[in-house]
Amino acid sequence: MKFNRWILILIVIVGGLIYFSLPKQSPAPSKSSADSLQITEKRLAKDEQFKTGDESPIPDKANFKGLTYYPYDATWIIPFEITRSEKVTRISLQMTDGSVDSLLVFGKAHADLAGMHVDLIVYQHDSGDFFIPFKDKTAPTETYGGGRYLELPLTKLKDNQLSIDFNEAFFPYCAYNKTFACPIPPKENQLSIRIPAGEKNP
């Protein structure tokens, strides 16, 4: 009996050691973590493109250290309700060099942000994807004074709802190089709230 008791104790100890030495299964990453990782990968790819690409707007690519961003914040992924234009129209949009460009107006996006109702004009490229130039109260001290842009694929629109991720807001090329001409956000898209998400000043 004494011998058997020691055998039993050894079995329990060995079993415990085996259990605790087994690799623990990591929990699946949350959607927020996955989105954050995807955004980080996009930003790193853009840095590489700006540093090495032939079409980079950066004048001094040799000393380019990468773009600057607010920390990722999932609360700035906002579902907007879309009111489509009654008919497809093409309007002129003022450019930074004084010229004008024409874009299709898809409609307006509506949501409540920071306790205020917000309406944004949504433009559409000929490809079908959406373009939203906007300016908020972070400009010009924290972000580019001329505003920022959002590009969204058409597939983001579902049942007249458009999910807008302000973490993906970016500067136009003219923010880095004045030889580029960029669309100026219309007054309807100049917001009286701060949106501390996306690209920011260094």
Side-chain angles (χ1 to χ4, degrees), residues 18-75:
I18 291 173
Y19 174 79
F20 285 108
S21 66
L22 290 173
K24 301 296 186 292
Q25 184 175 3
S26 300
S30 66
K31 185 178 185 305
S32 177
S33 298
D35 288 344
S36 176
L37 179 60
Q38 186 179 42
I39 291 289
T40 299
E41 290 173 347
K42 284 183 179 180
R43 291 173 177 178
L44 291 173
K46 186 172 184 178
D47 282 347
E48 183 63 22
Q49 176 193 348
F50 274 21
K51 188 171 182 64
T52 62
D54 292 336
E55 297 181 3
S56 169
I58 305 299
D60 185 9
K61 290 190 285 187
N63 290 313
F64 176 66
K65 304 299 183 186
L67 303 175
T68 307
Y69 299 91
Y70 289 101
Y72 177 85
D73 186 349
T75 62

Side-chain angles (χ1 to χ4, degrees), residues 27-200:
S30 66
K31 185 178 185 305
S32 177
S33 298
D35 288 344
S36 176
L37 179 60
Q38 186 179 42
I39 291 289
T40 299
E41 290 173 347
K42 284 183 179 180
R43 291 173 177 178
L44 291 173
K46 186 172 184 178
D47 282 347
E48 183 63 22
Q49 176 193 348
F50 274 21
K51 188 171 182 64
T52 62
D54 292 336
E55 297 181 3
S56 169
I58 305 299
D60 185 9
K61 290 190 285 187
N63 290 313
F64 176 66
K65 304 299 183 186
L67 303 175
T68 307
Y69 299 91
Y70 289 101
Y72 177 85
D73 186 349
T75 62
W76 285 106
I77 303 175
I78 310 293
F80 278 75
E81 291 293 329
I82 296 295
T83 302
R84 304 191 189 205
S85 299
E86 292 184 1
K87 62 179 181 178
V88 177
T89 56
R90 188 178 288 271
I91 69 165
S92 296
L93 202 59
Q94 192 72 32
M95 305 289 283
T96 53
D97 66 349
S99 63
V100 294
D101 192 12
S102 63
L103 286 173
L104 294 171
V105 177
F106 181 79
K108 284 191 174 184
H110 318 279
D112 291 326
L113 295 181
M116 293 188 64
H117 185 75
V118 168
D119 296 308
L120 290 169
I121 297 177
V122 179
Y123 299 95
Q124 194 169 29
H125 296 299
D126 291 337
S127 65
D129 291 339
F130 300 119
F131 171 61
I132 305 175
F134 74 97
K135 183 177 178 180
D136 66 283
K137 288 298 183 182
T138 62
T141 54
E142 298 175 36
T143 60
Y144 176 57
R148 293 181 286 170
Y149 296 166
L150 288 160
E151 298 270 5
L152 299 96
L154 181 60
T155 53
K156 285 278 189 179
L157 180 66
K158 296 179 180 178
D159 299 324
N160 285 331
Q161 190 172 86
L162 184 64
S163 178
I164 296 180
D165 186 352
F166 286 97
N167 292 285
E168 299 202 48
F170 62 93
F171 289 4
Y173 273 16
C174 52
Y176 321 109
N177 191 327
K178 298 303 180 185
T179 62
F180 287 87
C182 308
I184 299 172
K187 64 178 183 179
E188 294 91 341
N189 287 13
Q190 297 185 22
L191 310 177
S192 58
I193 61 171
R194 295 180 72 257
I195 300 182
E199 189 172 354
K200 60 180 292 192

